[in-house]
Amino acid sequence: MVMLERRVEQASFPERLAELWRRKWKGRVGAAFERDGQICRLQCPTKELPELCQWLTCDLRFVLATLIVEEERAGGWLLQYVFYKDSDTPWIYAEVRLSTLSQVIPSLSGLPDGPSFDWHEREAEDLFGLTFEGHPRLGEFVLHEDWPEGVNPMQRGFDAHQHVELRHPDPRWKPPTVVEAPGAFAMPIGPIFSDFAESAHFLLETVGEDVIRTIPRFFYKYRGVEKIGEGQMLDRVLLLAERFSGTSAFAHGLAFCQAVETICGIEVPPRACALRTVFAELERLRHHAAVITGICNSTALAVATAQAALIEEDLLRLTCEAVQHRYLFGLVKPGGLSCDLPEDKCNLLAESTAIIAARLRALHQMLRYSSSFLDRLEEVGIVSTEKAVSYGLVGPIARASGVSRDIRKLLPYAAYNATHFVVPSEQEGDGYARLRVFFHEAEQSAALMRHFLLSVPEGPICGAAVSARADAALAAVEAPQGATFHWLRLNEDGTVARYHITPPSFANWHGFHLAAENFAFQDFPIILASFGLSNAECDR
Amino acid sequence: MANWVLKGLRTGIRTTGYPSRPERAAGVSPGRPHGASLNSIEQADTLVERCPTRAIERQEGGVAVDHRRCVYCLRCQRDGMETVAPWDASYEWATEGLDEAASAKKLQRAFGRSLHIRFLDAGACSACVSEARQLNNPYYNMHRLGLFTTPTPRNADVLLVSGPVSDAMRLPLRKAYEAMPAPKRVVAIGACAIFGGVFGSSFAASGGASQIIPVDVIVPGCPPPPLAILHGLLLVVGRKPPAQPVSRPSDQVMEPA
């Protein structure tokens, strides 16, 4: 047995995985490798699903990327639980097939890493009408209580352009409260906020000054992007991919294009790879500057807010000067980029970002010595490492809680494997740790941009034209907020059969309530700002 | 101890001279495509075909651009296009709502110079939200013009709406509008709030704010830059004239106003 272990350890991971599978699962779960061992498919009967997923997440330390639900052409339903680890390890697709909708699927929300499955199951239940057995809370998630019962928009028979008559809200409806204490009451905030903010709703259960817990409610901005993309041509769906979340448009456009490129086997030229990296980092830099502005604003530190806002606006102007749009719309396309960055613009970007990085450093330095500011952030809104892991949090929020996971490192794309960088991470998981991660990442983005701008390879900016095939692919990109996964199935005629987006804000909003427990009421805007999340991105 | 007062003073005044003087800093506006006079019908057809939202139309002597429908895919500019639509660098884009006659009449002298604004996100992609938020940064500083945000619709003169109006925001939008005291104005910002943008009208979205409430002023763009939104608000108080919503082949390309 010891001999066997050693042999298994030395083998490459796909072989090792095959060996582990043989020992534990042969006869119970089918396995097959695809795309030169890059993908491992495990066909699993529904009753084995919880044990299999626990084995993957707890024993092998795989991480859930997404849950893809598909109504198969031949009838029946296919559920794919997709897991990833790093570039040496294949993607794992745990597949479950259902012949009818009424067949129940065991809920995975009770597993040790259950919370990371939780919202995916709720979404599938709402949009497809699947039944998850043992889930503590289903319904009223994406579709709110005024949506008619039994109408599931993602089913194939549902026409995306029909008008759905909403029900009248029930006047007896009461918010679902948990806290029972003398004097306890629920305080609603939203969906319309007092400033320029996105629509979401938070129910604060409070006994006066102290808030015991927060019940957030999202999907006020659900625009059904995945549904209205179905049956459309690729160039149309690219518009949706870019525009469902405008502040991270480039990252999502890039993920969509990478999925198309994988399906069609398009090689992206080196110049386009380098420039894509530059633009992705420019977007990250601007996004983080905006979050820092928000954090300063939430603590009412006026001069710091103004300084950060100036940096943010300067970055918007710089982006516009370089590529004709302040939010990088219309830039990425399958195969490369739609416009080149001439040398003078490269120099402009390199010089300007160096200056902006210095200004950010100076601002960070001043904030570090502003005790009144630090008092508001330190030990506020803590997310522990264990919770960050079990909830599957991603991006800067996870990295501030000691989970230094980054798609740019784990599954490099564009030109990220051509450079070395250290993923910033902090341990405390409080508001201040998140602020530090945002600052470090912003500075690092500026450094990465300069690195690539000074040595952009010559050559074309776009590869071969798209020649569509009927196939599916998943692409992973580290958006400013964290890992995003875009899964796409194409028809032979180049139209989109099914499109599934798992944005980082979807994972991170799920963990928001962890930070918003037992806090003083006036800290709420600060906790909210320190997450810096987008509702448009989460709601789609 | 950080000296913020000194830091603020050292930074100096960065605020734009707009609306008294035109703002010419690079990157304040992405500009927009403009109607073009073209010699060949093929050239015009290529432009029309490339436009995913039918913002570009063929007209006698070239193409016209309906700015309200442009979503900035920039496909009329890039991607190996031989003929490109002329690019106009302006930012004064606000115009009266789709029912132009009614809103023009209503806009006249309803308000003095100051406005209280309630922003409402009805399913925007957050780029419009971000651009509206910039109005408070030192560059634009809308307070200097007597424009303020208010936390409640009951104190608001203007409802600033972005997004195609998702199903769940229909009721809040209507309630917020009804809660506002008269006289009140609605400013719809961005292609989504004007006609639904890339989301159009579907089971999940209404296809624009005017489907739910009367819209008085629209600010085209995807997203409209802060100065265009500012122009929209100045149009409400009658301090700036409206722009043309459509540019025709014969129209002159605008410089920053």
Side-chain angles (χ1 to χ4, degrees):
Chain A
M1 194 62 200
V2 175
M3 283 289 288
L4 187 68
E5 281 285 355
R6 192 166 299 143
R7 219 181 62 226
V8 171
E9 281 305 312
Q10 281 163 353
S12 75
F13 200 88
E15 287 167 36
R16 214 154 80 208
L17 189 70
E19 176 62 35
L20 290 169
W21 165 80
R22 260 194 294 282
R23 269 195 246 156
K24 193 167 163 68
W25 294 102
K26 200 172 176 190
R28 288 198 286 163
V29 169
F33 283 93
E34 262 181 31
R35 287 213 176 100
D36 307 326
Q38 282 177 31
I39 293 176
C40 171
R41 289 186 185 278
L42 301 173
Q43 286 95 16
C44 172
T46 46
K47 67 175 187 341
E48 305 281 9
L49 187 67
E51 202 189 332
L52 179 71
C53 290
Q54 184 162 354
W55 178 67
L56 288 169
T57 53
C58 296
D59 298 357
L60 301 187
R61 305 309 311 165
F62 272 81
V63 184
L64 180 74
T66 180
L67 165 61
I68 303 158
V69 184
E70 236 189 316
E71 195 173 348
E72 291 191 294
R73 233 163 252 283
W77 295 76
L78 173 65
L79 275 75
Q80 305 179 68
Y81 294 79
V82 186
F83 299 87
Y84 72 100
K85 198 168 182 182
D86 54 44
S87 55
D88 301 327
T89 319
W91 289 85
I92 293 192
Y93 288 59
E95 299 181 340
V96 177
R97 281 200 156 73
L98 309 176
S99 49
T100 61
L101 257 188
S102 52
Q103 219 173 320
V104 294
I105 309 135
S107 167
L108 304 177
S109 55
L111 298 183
D113 281 350
S116 60
F117 295 91
D118 182 359
W119 271 23
H120 291 281
E121 291 180 354
R122 290 182 72 181
E123 187 186 334
E125 196 261 355
D126 249 19
L127 298 180
F128 292 91
L130 297 170
T131 319
F132 292 92
E133 198 175 30
H135 194 292
R137 191 163 173 231
L138 290 171
E140 281 191 30
F141 184 57
V142 179
L143 309 168
H144 291 178
E145 76 277 353
D146 48 1
W147 183 266
E149 203 64 44
V151 181
N152 305 103
M154 286 306 287
Q155 288 184 5
R156 188 171 289 145
F158 184 89
D159 171 20
H161 294 286
Q162 67 181 288
H163 174 73
V164 178
E165 204 55 53
L166 296 184
R167 298 189 295 193
H168 281 288
D170 185 355
R172 290 162 307 170
W173 186 83
K174 284 231 166 64
T177 53
V178 180
V179 176
E180 280 180 34
F185 64 99
M187 178 162 175
I189 305 183
I192 309 175
F193 281 81
S194 63
D195 206 352
F196 295 108
E198 293 189 70
S199 298
H201 186 270
F202 300 95
L203 194 69
L204 307 186
E205 286 200 69
T206 170
V207 284
E209 268 300 282
D210 295 329
V211 180
I212 313 290
R213 53 170 286 155
T214 306
I215 305 175
R217 188 168 189 217
F218 302 111
F219 296 97
Y220 281 89
K221 299 173 66 168
Y222 174 65
R223 287 146 291 166
V225 166
E226 295 167 6
K227 181 70 186 183
I228 55 179
E230 283 180 9
Q232 304 263 15
M233 292 303 289
L234 277 179
D235 58 342
R236 280 284 178 147
V237 184
L238 175 59
L239 292 178
L240 288 172
E242 275 185 339
R243 280 163 186 74
F244 80 90
S245 172
T247 47
S248 45
F250 189 81
H252 290 292
L254 179 59
F256 174 79
C257 290
Q258 284 184 4
V260 177
E261 286 150 11
T262 312
I263 294 174
C264 305
I266 303 171
E267 191 85 18
V268 181
R271 185 175 178 83
C273 281
L275 288 178
R276 277 179 171 189
T277 316
V278 168
F279 295 137
E281 291 308 315
L282 177 58
E283 185 173 68
R284 193 180 322 278
L285 177 56
R286 192 248 302 136
H287 174 274
H288 286 8
V291 174
I292 291 164
T293 311
I295 295 175
C296 294
N297 192 26
S298 72
T299 61
L301 192 60
V303 182
T305 311
Q307 295 292 328
L310 287 173
I311 293 175
E312 187 192 348
E313 173 69 17
D314 283 341
L315 281 165
L316 286 166
R317 291 182 180 187
L318 180 66
T319 312
C320 188
E321 222 184 322
V323 297
Q324 237 182 346
H325 196 277
R326 286 161 61 96
Y327 293 85
L328 297 151
F329 285 9
L331 194 56
V332 67
K333 70 171 201 169
L337 293 167
S338 67
C339 89
D340 201 357
L341 197 64
E343 205 184 332
D344 59 323
K345 297 277 174 67
C346 283
N347 294 337
L348 170 78
L349 274 184
E351 282 161 21
S352 308
T353 42
I355 296 167
I356 281 170
R359 284 164 65 189
L360 270 172
R361 248 193 316 278
L363 178 64
H364 190 187
Q365 194 65 15
M366 286 188 78
L367 289 172
R368 278 175 56 194
Y369 290 99
S370 300
S371 52
S372 65
F373 173 74
L374 297 183
D375 285 346
R376 304 295 307 270
L377 284 169
E378 278 175 325
E379 289 172 39
V380 165
I382 298 175
V383 180
S384 68
T385 309
E386 298 76 53
K387 289 284 186 194
V389 170
S390 72
Y391 274 72
L393 301 192
V394 294
I397 309 300
R399 294 196 275 273
S401 295
V403 186
S404 64
R405 213 181 277 141
D406 191 321
I407 297 291
R408 293 176 294 171
K409 272 270 182 230
L410 294 176
L411 308 159
Y413 54 94
Y416 284 111
N417 51 8
T419 180
H420 175 76
F421 63 98
V422 181
V423 179
S425 87
E426 302 286 344
Q427 294 300 321
E428 294 91 334
D430 60 353
Y432 185 41
R434 288 194 280 276
L435 179 75
R436 291 202 304 274
V437 169
F438 281 119
F439 265 114
H440 289 151
E441 287 193 16
E443 278 182 43
Q444 193 179 55
S445 293
L448 280 170
M449 279 177 70
R450 281 199 300 283
H451 172 83
F452 284 103
L453 282 166
L454 294 177
S455 57
V456 189
E458 291 298 320
I461 49 149
C462 196
V466 175
S467 55
R469 305 195 291 135
D471 201 355
L474 181 75
V477 160
E478 183 77 15
Q481 264 306 333
T484 183
F485 301 94
H486 286 228
W487 181 85
L488 184 70
R489 183 180 288 289
L490 282 190
N491 292 322
E492 250 159 53
D493 59 356
T495 54
V496 171
R498 170 118 171 74
Y499 182 28
H500 182 63
I501 311 166
T502 308
S505 293
F506 183 76
N508 286 346
W509 270 128
H510 185 27
F512 175 73
H513 74 94
L514 299 169
E517 266 174 19
N518 297 318
F519 60 97
F521 181 73
Q522 63 271 24
D523 286 342
F524 184 69
I526 298 173
I527 300 173
L528 199 58
S530 76
F531 269 71
L533 296 175
S534 160
N535 290 110
E537 192 177 67
C538 172
D539 299 359
R540 286 157 286 157
Chain B
M1 190 62 202
N3 194 335
W4 290 106
V5 178
L6 204 60
K7 177 81 177 169
L9 288 173
R10 274 206 188 119
T11 308
I13 295 170
R14 298 291 184 88
T15 310
T16 173
Y18 184 82
S20 318
R21 290 188 305 278
E23 173 63 64
R24 296 192 193 278
V28 288
S29 163
R32 56 181 184 178
H34 192 276
S37 56
L38 297 167
N39 295 327
S40 83
I41 293 175
E42 287 82 53
Q43 286 180 326
D45 280 344
T46 329
L47 282 176
V48 172
E49 208 177 287
R50 292 301 286 270
C51 181
T53 52
R54 301 196 311 279
I56 302 183
E57 275 177 7
R58 232 179 73 198
Q59 263 197 0
E60 191 66 44
V63 290
V65 178
D66 184 346
H67 300 297
R68 293 169 292 201
R69 297 192 71 86
C70 177
V71 294
Y72 286 79
C73 63
L74 298 157
R75 288 175 191 169
C76 57
Q77 298 293 309
R78 293 177 177 167
D79 244 359
M81 289 285 289
E82 276 172 25
T83 321
V84 296
W87 202 254
D88 119 26
S90 63
Y91 47 76
E92 289 194 323
W93 298 344
T95 164
E96 286 121 358
L98 296 176
D99 185 8
E100 285 167 33
S103 47
K105 208 167 115 202
K106 254 177 73 181
L107 280 178
Q108 285 166 6
R109 317 187 71 83
F111 297 107
R113 294 170 78 85
S114 176
L115 283 181
H116 279 74
I117 300 155
R118 172 66 265 146
F119 174 76
L120 197 151
D121 162 25
C125 74
S126 74
C128 281
V129 186
S130 170
E131 290 294 52
R133 201 180 280 145
Q134 303 305 325
L135 289 173
N136 272 334
N137 82 27
Y139 278 121
Y140 303 109
N141 184 15
M142 65 173 184
H143 294 183
R144 78 201 149 96
L145 300 166
L147 308 172
F148 306 96
T149 52
T150 169
T152 158
R154 294 197 192 282
N155 293 340
D157 306 308
V158 167
L159 191 63
L160 197 62
V161 186
S162 66
V165 192
S166 53
D167 277 353
M169 288 311 292
R170 259 190 250 169
L171 186 63
L173 175 61
R174 196 176 296 129
K175 276 188 169 175
Y177 178 75
E178 282 163 8
M180 288 165 65
K184 53 188 165 186
R185 297 292 177 261
V186 176
V187 179
I189 59 169
C192 291
I194 297 170
F195 75 100
V198 292
F199 307 106
S201 117
S202 71
F203 72 100
S206 306
S210 60
Q211 304 294 322
I212 313 290
I213 52 171
V215 172
D216 304 293
V217 168
I218 56 175
V219 185
C222 186
L227 286 176
I229 304 175
L230 210 51
H231 178 238
L233 296 169
L234 292 171
L235 175 61
V236 171
V237 285
R239 291 177 64 180
K240 280 279 176 183
Q244 285 301 322
V246 180
S247 60
R248 294 174 208 292
S250 51
D251 293 344
Q252 261 206 327
V253 178
M254 302 283 284
E255 283 298 307

